Amino acid sequence: MPDLNSLRYPIGKFVYEQPYTTAQRQDLISQLENLPGQLRRAVANFTEDQLDTPYREHGWTIRQVVHHVADSHMNGYIRTKLALTEQNPTIKPYEEALWADLRDTFVVPVTTSLTLVDALHARWVALFRSLSNADFTGKTFVHPGNGLTNTLDRHLGTYVWHGKHHLAHIVNASKNAEL
C-alpha cells in the first residue's frame, strides 16, 4: 500500500532548477500544450460513478480534480498576463479547496472543463511562445501566500508540474479502477 505522501504527490513535489535554458522552456511549453489531450484521454473511460470517486482516501474526486485543473490554470494564465502588464504585481490567491467544494464542481460534466482547458492552453501556449528569454527571467509577480517573487520561468515550470501532478492522480485512479 503506497504511503499518503506518494498518493498526494505521485510525481514528487515541484523543484525549480533555475533558470531554464531556451530548449528546456520550449519543451515545457510543448508539455503544457499536450496536457489538454492527455487529460481528455485519461478520463475517457471513466463512468460517472468513477468520476465521482476520490482518487485517494480523503482526496478529491476525479471530477473535482479535472475542474480544479481548469480553475487553477485559469488563475495561472491571469497571473502570466499580470506579470507581463504590471511591474511585479502582487497577485490575488484563491482558496482552491473551497473552490473545489462549490456546487458546480459536483454537477458540471468534466467535458466542460476539458473544453475550457483546451481553449485556455491554446491561448497560454501562444502567449508563452511569444515571450523573449528576458521576459521569462525578468517579468515577475509576488504571491502573498508565501511571499515569493516568481519569474515567468518558474511559473511555467510550476504549471507544467501541476498538470502532470493531477494527471498522475487520474492515471493512478484509472489503474486502481482497472479501466
Side-chain angles (χ1 to χ4, degrees):
M1 177 92 173
D3 67 26
L4 179 60
N5 215 31
S6 68
L7 292 173
R8 284 188 73 186
Y9 298 99
I11 65 168
K13 293 187 178 185
F14 175 68
V15 176
Y16 177 59
E17 297 172 2
Q18 59 192 9
Y20 296 125
T21 65
T22 301
Q24 287 171 317
R25 261 186 225 116
Q26 293 311 310
D27 180 57
L28 289 168
I29 293 168
S30 292
Q31 290 178 55
L32 197 66
E33 182 176 39
N34 293 330
L35 180 67
Q38 293 169 327
L39 278 174
R40 194 173 289 281
R41 286 187 296 279
V43 299
N45 294 319
F46 277 87
T47 65
E48 289 298 309
D49 285 343
Q50 289 167 328
L51 288 171
D52 293 328
T53 301
Y55 72 90
R56 67 172 170 82
E57 189 175 353
H58 306 297
W60 287 339
T61 66
I62 299 304
R63 183 182 311 275
Q64 284 174 294
V65 170
V66 172
H67 291 316
H68 163 71
V69 170
D71 290 343
S72 176
H73 289 212
M74 282 188 291
N75 276 279
Y77 175 71
I78 290 166
R79 291 169 183 178
T80 304
K81 291 258 188 167
L82 288 169
L84 289 167
T85 60
E86 298 178 21
Q87 187 67 27
N88 196 37
T90 298
I91 56 95
K92 171 127 178 43
Y94 74 105
E95 297 292 336
E96 66 181 40
L98 296 177
W99 283 38
D101 282 337
L102 292 173
R103 187 75 185 134
D104 66 316
T105 305
F106 297 98
V107 299
V108 171
V110 294
T111 54
T112 302
S113 281
L114 292 171
T115 299
L116 192 155
V117 170
D118 285 336
L120 177 65
H121 277 235
R123 292 276 310 272
W124 208 4
V125 164
L127 181 60
F128 275 135
R129 285 193 172 135
S130 74
L131 302 183
S132 68
N133 288 335
D135 290 331
F136 279 103
T137 58
K139 298 293 184 175
T140 61
F141 65 84
V142 175
H143 193 297
N146 58 24
L148 289 178
T149 296
N150 290 276
T151 62
L152 288 182
D153 204 49
R154 178 187 178 101
H155 185 58
L156 170 62
T158 300
Y159 275 91
V160 169
W161 171 87
H162 185 262
K164 289 175 159 182
H165 165 73
H166 287 302
L167 182 62
H169 288 146
I170 295 166
V171 169
N172 289 346
S174 172
K175 289 176 187 172
N176 293 338
E178 297 181 18
L179 296 176

